[in-house]
Amino acid sequence: MRRLTTLFTAVLLPACLFSLPAAAAQQHEGQYDIADIAYGAQLFSERCVVCHGPNGDLMPQANLRRGTFRNASTDRDLQGVIRDGVPGTAMAATGYAEAELAALVAYLRNITSFDGTGVTIGDAAAGKDLFEGEGGCTQCHRVGGSGPAYAPPLTSIGRTRTAAALRRVLQNPVSGMMPSNRPVHAVTADGRVVEGRRLNEDTFSVQLVSKDERLVSLDKRTLKEYRIGNESAMPAYGDRFSEQQIADLLGYLLSLKGAQP
Ligand code: HEC
Ligand code: HEC
């Protein structure tokens, strides 16, 4: 297992680069997902209201409801201000990760219209119970050091995936699947069938985790058959769970901010 973990770290890193999370994408006003806005509102109430007030307009020199900002114009700038703070002022660096920054920006861009209805971010503790119990998520996923390796580890998923992306995965895994995670079906020159989850791929080779949890690298030029599937091995929970249960699972996933496995 330890060896597998080391290999994972070696291979997952380029895989992550190759599929940078949607959080990095620049969006225009009006195109923010309600799950990100709701998550941003939650983070705002935890970490920002103490200075900016519940409506964001407590400080006249930094009124966050005006729609324009003194220190930022694009979403990228705004993320930078929230991450790094404004030097020489009480606005200190927050150290938030991509997914959290995307949520806070989505909220600030919609602060005057968001009324708290629509999607909610549920209770992380209730979500954890579902994750380990009725949801059966731990049959395929691990959080932290040990557990199954076939499905992607979720240890730090709350840093790398936005609330909107995680909600899509829960409702319909196919629509939220990362390109790197697609299922691979290959037949080697000597007739061996290899099936697994793709980690990384270039013109000549593909790296995957096989169904029996081994790390495999294949030379694509020598394969008899090679197919990338569109289906997901993950069940869709959108029909199986209530809105509240999905919200609780989302709350739990967003709370997973551990170091990379
Ligand atoms: C300790 C108090 C404090 C906390 C906590 C705080 N801020 Fe600030 N923030 C300030 C001050 C003071 C300024 C004004 C800095 C200046 O004079 O330019 C500011 C400025 C900003 C600005 C720039 C406004 C502009 O017009 O350019 C943004 C955006 C912002 N804060 C967002 C946040 C968010 C989001 C959080 C929570 C993660 C947060 N702040 C937490 C004190 C705080
Ligand atoms: C039968 C195995 C299986 C079960 C059960 C399962 N998953 Fe998955 N899950 C996968 C596989 C395989 C992937 C990667 C392919 C994909 O994204 O569809 C995945 C992907 C994900 C992702 C996206 C990871 C990423 O890096 O983008 C999340 C989040 C996730 N699962 C959460 C859950 C939660 C929460 C549950 C329980 C409610 C669950 N899964 C149950 C197999 C499973």
Side-chain angles (χ1 to χ4, degrees):
M1 200 29 144
R2 171 155 299 285
R3 206 169 133 249
L4 187 62
T5 312
T6 322
L7 286 170
F8 256 114
T9 324
V11 176
L12 267 177
L13 207 54
C16 291
L17 291 177
F18 145 94
S19 57
L20 263 181
Q26 183 76 241
Q27 286 178 309
H28 298 290
E29 202 161 352
Q31 291 187 334
Y32 306 92
D33 191 286
I34 182 76
D36 283 329
I37 300 172
Y39 182 39
Q42 177 185 310
L43 294 173
F44 192 85
S45 70
E46 287 167 9
R47 290 268 301 263
C48 320
V49 290
V50 46
C51 296
H52 289 280
N55 299 318
D57 57 1
L58 200 64
M59 287 183 290
Q61 83 276 28
N63 180 351
L64 304 179
R65 295 179 74 84
R66 266 193 320 240
T68 55
F69 301 92
R70 286 191 304 150
N71 298 284
S73 63
T74 66
D75 285 6
R76 265 278 154 227
D77 301 342
L78 203 46
Q79 290 200 6
V81 169
I82 300 168
R83 188 185 54 230
D84 305 332
V86 182
T89 75
M91 178 68 204
T94 58
Y96 274 133
E98 284 285 313
E100 298 161 312
L101 293 169
L104 280 163
V105 167
Y107 173 63
L108 290 183
R109 293 293 192 198
N110 293 278
I111 192 167
T112 51
S113 59
F114 180 66
D115 60 2
T117 59
V119 168
T120 51
I121 309 297
D123 176 37
K128 184 171 195 280
D129 288 346
L130 281 170
F131 189 88
E132 290 166 356
E134 203 183 333
C137 316
T138 50
Q139 284 164 26
C140 298
H141 291 283
R142 70 192 154 96
V143 171
S146 60
Y150 173 63
L154 302 177
T155 315
S156 52
I157 202 77
R159 289 182 181 282
T160 54
R161 301 282 185 265
T162 60
L166 291 174
R167 191 156 180 277
R168 273 197 299 278
V169 171
L170 288 173
Q171 286 180 321
N172 177 2
V174 174
S175 75
M177 185 158 48
M178 298 298 289
S180 56
N181 282 337
R182 294 204 180 277
V184 171
H185 171 94
V187 181
T188 60
D190 54 2
R192 203 160 44 89
V193 175
V194 182
E195 288 188 326
R197 174 175 62 88
R198 177 167 66 173
L199 292 173
N200 212 354
E201 175 168 6
D202 62 26
T203 316
F204 302 116
S205 70
V206 58
Q207 285 79 44
L208 52 101
V209 198
S210 66
K211 290 234 158 109
D212 56 355
E213 305 200 346
R214 282 175 312 119
L215 193 85
V216 180
S217 184
L218 298 173
D219 182 343
K220 292 198 290 187
R221 291 165 298 184
T222 66
L223 297 174
K224 274 194 192 148
E225 255 182 64
Y226 180 60
R227 269 202 320 274
I228 301 289
N230 288 324
E231 72 282 14
S232 172
M234 173 157 157
Y237 290 88
D239 301 332
R240 225 173 101 186
F241 281 160
S242 68
E243 274 291 326
Q244 186 58 51
Q245 287 173 309
I246 295 283
D248 291 343
L249 278 168
L250 183 57
Y252 175 58
L253 291 175
L254 287 168
S255 77
L256 299 176
K257 296 174 192 170
Q260 294 288 345

